[in-house]
Amino acid sequence: MRMFRLYMLIGGMPQAIDEYIRTNSFKRVDMVKRDILSLYSDDFHKIDATGRLSLMFEAIPAQLNKNASRYQVSGVLEHARADRILEYISELKDSKTVLAAYHAKDPNAGMANNKDLGKFKLFLADTGLFTTLIFKDRDFTENIIYEKLLSDKLGANLGYLYENIAAQILAANGNELFYHTFMNPASRHNYEVDFLLARKNKICPIEIKSSGYKTHASLDAFSHKYSERILEKYLIYTKDMKKDGETFCMPIYMLQFL
């Protein structure tokens, strides 16, 4: 897990990896990643001179931090038309810097046919860059993520780092990204299954945890609602592999094998 967390901090950009190998300095690595993000911003402005594309990209961490059921475009871009938003998402996906997960309106093996194009979440294709983007407007000395993540003391409010790396792993393995939210009748909050995989005409719901806690209320509620559609269900967390009832609990570095 420590080696995996190290990868989450550095990411897969060749310049960042080379800098870490040569200097063993997270600060120097962070500087390299900031330069890469600046180049991304320049490229986005070439595609869209209004700067809206760049704003959408830079708002990804803040949007995930809200723990909302979707990327709330209205909070980033005022008066953006629906058709224009679809164009922005297409441009971001084509840039290969961003991953989009769409809400599956009817979670089943044919999720691609019923995804909601207007309800989505965005992730960075490289979690190392995501780590830097969170604190892009602050000095490196304020970036507590490096120390806390490496020592496994990451606060719950930074748990979306694990969501991002999960999205990166699943997409790298050729999976289209889907998630599903539904009402919890006992409270004002929704249940949310972080990711859904289609396997053997069935689905595999996945819940991501940034710690060793193995509670999985959303998985249980989802399984009760869609019991006949489920092949296996997975809780992805930071501890050893085990089984909790019908739920497979797996360390996040094994997610690549699903």
Side-chain angles (χ1 to χ4, degrees):
M1 273 305 304
R2 188 180 188 281
M3 294 299 293
F4 185 82
R5 291 194 297 267
L6 182 62
Y7 172 77
M8 290 174 66
L9 292 171
I10 298 169
M13 302 302 286
Q15 304 97 314
I17 294 171
D18 180 65
E19 191 67 31
Y20 181 76
I21 291 172
R22 290 191 302 104
T23 68
N24 198 37
S25 167
F26 285 132
K27 183 174 183 178
R28 294 289 297 272
V29 171
D30 197 73
M31 289 170 62
V32 169
K33 291 189 292 176
R34 286 170 186 253
D35 287 343
I36 293 171
L37 289 171
S38 293
L39 290 173
Y40 281 6
S41 181
D42 291 343
D43 287 342
F44 288 140
H45 277 86
K46 290 175 185 175
I47 298 170
D48 173 56
T50 68
R52 289 188 162 197
L53 204 60
S54 185
L55 284 174
M56 286 193 68
F57 176 82
E58 293 182 358
I60 290 174
Q63 287 289 319
L64 289 174
N65 188 36
K66 289 180 179 179
N67 203 27
S69 62
R70 68 175 76 195
Y71 186 109
Q72 296 172 331
V73 180
S74 60
V76 181
L77 307 177
E78 291 185 3
H79 313 302
R81 303 194 317 270
D83 60 337
R84 197 73 184 98
I85 292 170
L86 292 178
E87 289 180 24
Y88 289 140
I89 300 304
S90 178
E91 294 283 7
L92 287 170
K93 289 170 63 179
D94 288 347
S95 74
K96 305 298 182 184
T97 63
V98 167
L99 304 171
Y102 292 98
H103 187 267
K105 292 181 284 187
D106 182 24
N108 56 48
M111 288 179 289
N113 297 320
N114 67 75
K115 64 184 178 183
D116 187 344
L117 294 177
K119 190 173 183 180
F120 56 87
K121 292 186 176 186
L122 297 180
F123 302 92
L124 260 66
D126 182 275
T127 302
L129 292 180
F130 183 86
T131 303
T132 295
L133 187 60
I134 294 173
F135 285 84
K136 183 174 179 287
D137 296 327
R138 303 189 204 174
D139 186 78
F140 175 79
T141 55
E142 296 184 59
N143 192 337
I144 60 172
I145 293 180
Y146 286 88
E147 177 184 344
K148 289 187 174 294
L149 181 60
L150 202 59
S151 61
D152 197 21
K153 295 179 181 178
L154 190 69
N157 63 325
L158 293 173
Y160 51 92
L161 268 170
Y162 281 88
E163 272 191 74
N164 199 94
I165 192 68
Q168 180 184 336
I169 292 170
L170 292 172
N173 279 350
N175 297 290
E176 194 171 350
L177 302 179
F178 299 100
Y179 70 101
H180 184 69
T181 62
F182 57 104
M183 182 63 69
N184 178 354
S187 72
R188 296 180 180 179
H189 301 289
N190 286 338
Y191 286 121
E192 179 170 312
V193 174
D194 295 314
F195 297 101
L196 295 166
L197 297 181
R199 296 289 187 269
K200 299 180 180 179
N201 295 321
K202 298 261 187 178
I203 53 175
C204 297
I206 300 173
E207 189 169 340
I208 308 295
K209 296 285 188 181
S210 61
S211 65
Y213 293 117
K214 60 180 190 296
T215 55
H216 40 78
S218 292
L219 272 183
D220 293 340
F222 184 87
S223 301
H224 178 73
K225 185 174 183 179
Y226 300 108
S227 57
E228 295 182 355
R229 305 182 185 185
I230 295 174
L231 180 64
E232 303 287 359
K233 51 185 179 178
Y234 298 96
L235 176 77
I236 304 300
Y237 69 156
T238 61
K239 299 301 180 182
D240 293 336
M241 189 166 182
K242 62 180 294 183
K243 199 169 184 185
D244 184 27
E246 296 300 315
T247 301
F248 286 98
C249 303
M250 297 176 61
I252 192 163
Y253 57 78
M254 292 187 71
L255 180 58
Q256 60 187 304
F257 301 113
L258 296 186

